[in-house]
Amino acid sequence: MDRDKILLTPGPLTTTLRTKLAMLRDWGSWDAEFNEVTARLRRSLLAIIHGQETHVVVPLQGSGTFSVEAAVATLVPANGHVLVLDNGAYCKRAARLTTLMGRRCSVMGFDEAQPVSPTALDERLRADASITHVVLIHCETGAGVHNPLQPVAEVCAAHGRGLIVDAMSSFAALEIDARKTPFDALIAASGKCLEGVPGMGFVFIRKAILDACAGRSQSLAMDLHDQYTYMEKTGQWRFTPPTHVVVALAEAMAQFEAEGGQPARLARYVSNYQALTRGMAKLGFKPFLDPAVQAPIIVTFHAPADPCYDFKTFYAAARARGFILYPGKLTQVETFRVGCIGAIGPVEMEQAVHAVALALQDMGIASGAPAL
Ligand SMILES: *Cc1c(COP(=O)(O)O)cnc(C)c1O
């Protein structure tokens, strides 16, 4: 069969045929028509967070991590001090890239099954005046925890510290409103909840701090201030743009807007999440997180206790039925993950659950129940 498998992962995601078809044309990077696509896309991105008054948006070639790295390099001065609120794998990645770029970095660790604590952050900032920037991962895709953006932003603002938000897996699905949530930078990418294809990220930067960012990045290619200045002046990307990714994202954006924007996207993902967890519970599976702290983006399930279980076999059996699952990313317990995002609805989620049931049958496993 040449039909694409459904991707139940945190990206790349299943995209619509319309989005895929948008990539069948060639575009010149300096061409006025292509520049207009970029300009329109940037306006639409800003509108999603109601950031027209307060922020600019700077696109960057590469996967999402490239933009996180670029944001830290562009915002944090050489003598800055970054505090990463750590409750999972993507937080650890942010801390690592900060350290590798030579910025002083401290990590505040939290339980990976719980949101980070704004109260603990408040105490830490009170005690340490040297911290200039805080990094928060909005939805920690490692376990799937929804971290408290608004209270963390308020604490940072009260202490006059910069906030950098990795909203990669939440942007366009969870509500983010720049009119009421103060942040210096917020990062997302083409291939997540906007349902474009991977290949570019974008960073919202607060206008008030933009000028001070000039010359801070030690990297040429990752300098968002330079990218911004060039794009404002010429309407073009600095260096070769990912043209096909850009036009696919513009097409995905049109579908996002037609669907009803962020509230509608969230509603569909919540339906997906409910169909998934309801069906998996019937098979005996248990989610790792308390539903109260779970974002409807990606769900971590405990591995079944049955000795016949093995992720690779399970993965292959679900794959043979057309569904791509994702391995777990937790250090302590054996788990696997199922994404709820992408151009899919609750019907596909029910089919995915059915594929999981057949996979268990293949493996001779009577129940997905974990050893608890
Ligand atoms: C997907 C994701 C990223 C970026 O990952 P890439 O593989 O570089 O695209 C960063 N942070 C979070 C929270 C993510 O979910």
Side-chain angles (χ1 to χ4, degrees):
M1 270 196 311
D2 63 1
R3 200 176 52 187
D4 291 336
K5 291 170 177 57
I6 301 272
L7 302 175
L8 301 172
T9 70
L13 304 176
T14 292
T15 57
T16 65
L17 182 60
R18 228 178 109 180
T19 297
K20 286 189 264 277
L21 287 173
M23 293 185 284
L24 294 180
R25 291 182 56 198
D26 299 320
W27 300 76
S29 62
W30 44 264
D31 190 81
E33 203 187 342
F34 178 71
N35 293 342
E36 184 43 43
V37 175
T38 300
R40 213 169 36 236
L41 184 57
R42 290 175 73 207
R43 286 195 293 272
S44 299
L45 289 170
L46 266 178
I48 294 175
I49 61 158
H50 310 285
Q52 296 94 331
E53 296 297 318
T54 50
H55 290 74
V56 298
V57 64
V58 190
L60 183 72
Q61 299 92 330
S63 90
T65 306
F66 289 53
S67 283
V68 178
E69 193 161 319
V72 171
T74 303
L75 264 76
V76 181
N79 62 355
H81 180 187
V82 175
L83 177 68
V84 177
L85 304 177
D86 173 12
N87 64 338
Y90 291 87
C91 306
K92 288 175 178 64
R93 186 188 295 179
R96 178 133 195 275
L97 65 85
T98 300
T99 303
L100 284 173
M101 285 183 297
R103 288 355 183 242
R104 184 175 167 201
C105 181
S106 297
V107 171
M108 202 173 176
F110 297 90
D111 187 327
E112 61 191 350
Q114 293 298 328
V116 303
S117 161
T119 314
L121 171 64
D122 184 51
E123 283 161 19
R124 181 68 175 262
L125 293 183
R126 208 176 290 279
D128 190 345
S130 74
I131 294 163
T132 56
H133 294 79
V134 172
V135 170
L136 173 76
I137 314 294
H138 189 197
C139 169
E140 201 353 301
T141 322
V145 175
H146 184 170
N147 276 320
L149 173 58
Q150 183 67 20
V152 165
E154 283 168 9
V155 167
C156 291
H159 288 276
R161 317 297 169 90
L163 173 64
I164 299 172
V165 185
D166 172 349
M168 209 71 66
S169 64
S170 58
F171 175 78
L174 302 184
E175 191 198 12
I176 299 169
D177 189 339
R179 295 169 305 187
K180 64 176 195 209
T181 310
F183 55 82
D184 278 358
L186 185 135
I187 307 128
S190 55
K192 301 252 176 162
C193 300
L194 279 176
E195 301 178 359
V197 301
M200 61 171 274
F202 42 90
V203 184
F204 298 96
I205 303 178
R206 199 153 66 84
K207 286 178 185 171
I209 65 155
L210 201 55
D211 287 347
C213 291
R216 277 185 181 163
S217 175
Q218 73 277 43
S219 160
L220 173 71
M222 310 286 267
D223 186 338
L224 293 174
H225 183 272
D226 208 33
Q227 176 92 321
Y228 172 75
T229 310
Y230 188 84
M231 203 170 258
E232 288 299 301
K233 202 165 68 191
T234 64
Q236 297 169 19
W237 292 60
R238 211 185 37 145
F239 317 141
T240 305
T243 45
H244 297 75
V245 176
V246 174
V247 294
L249 185 59
E251 191 57 48
M253 180 70 80
Q255 294 163 76
F256 170 79
E257 287 166 353
E259 186 177 4
Q262 174 268 324
R265 184 113 332 163
L266 177 61
R268 176 157 57 83
Y269 291 169
V270 167
S271 302
N272 291 353
Y273 164 72
Q274 288 167 343
L276 173 71
T277 47
R278 208 183 305 123
M280 292 294 275
K282 280 192 195 142
L283 300 178
F285 285 99
K286 195 170 176 296
F288 172 72
L289 292 177
D290 177 344
V293 306
Q294 169 81 59
I297 302 293
I298 188 162
V299 183
T300 299
F301 290 99
H302 286 281
D306 195 299
C308 293
Y309 176 80
D310 151 67
F311 179 74
K312 278 199 175 132
T313 315
F314 181 59
Y315 174 91
R319 185 181 190 279
R321 272 95 185 178
F323 293 87
I324 302 294
L325 304 175
Y326 211 62
K329 212 166 192 167
L330 305 183
T331 42
Q332 306 295 325
V333 278
E334 200 188 345
T335 56
F336 65 92
R337 288 179 289 173
V338 187
C340 303
I341 58 181
I344 51 174
V347 170
E348 280 79 13
M349 297 314 278
E350 283 163 15
Q351 291 166 349
V353 171
H354 187 58
V356 165
L358 295 176
L360 289 185
Q361 230 173 63
D362 278 7
M363 299 170 77
I365 299 174
S367 161
L372 290 176

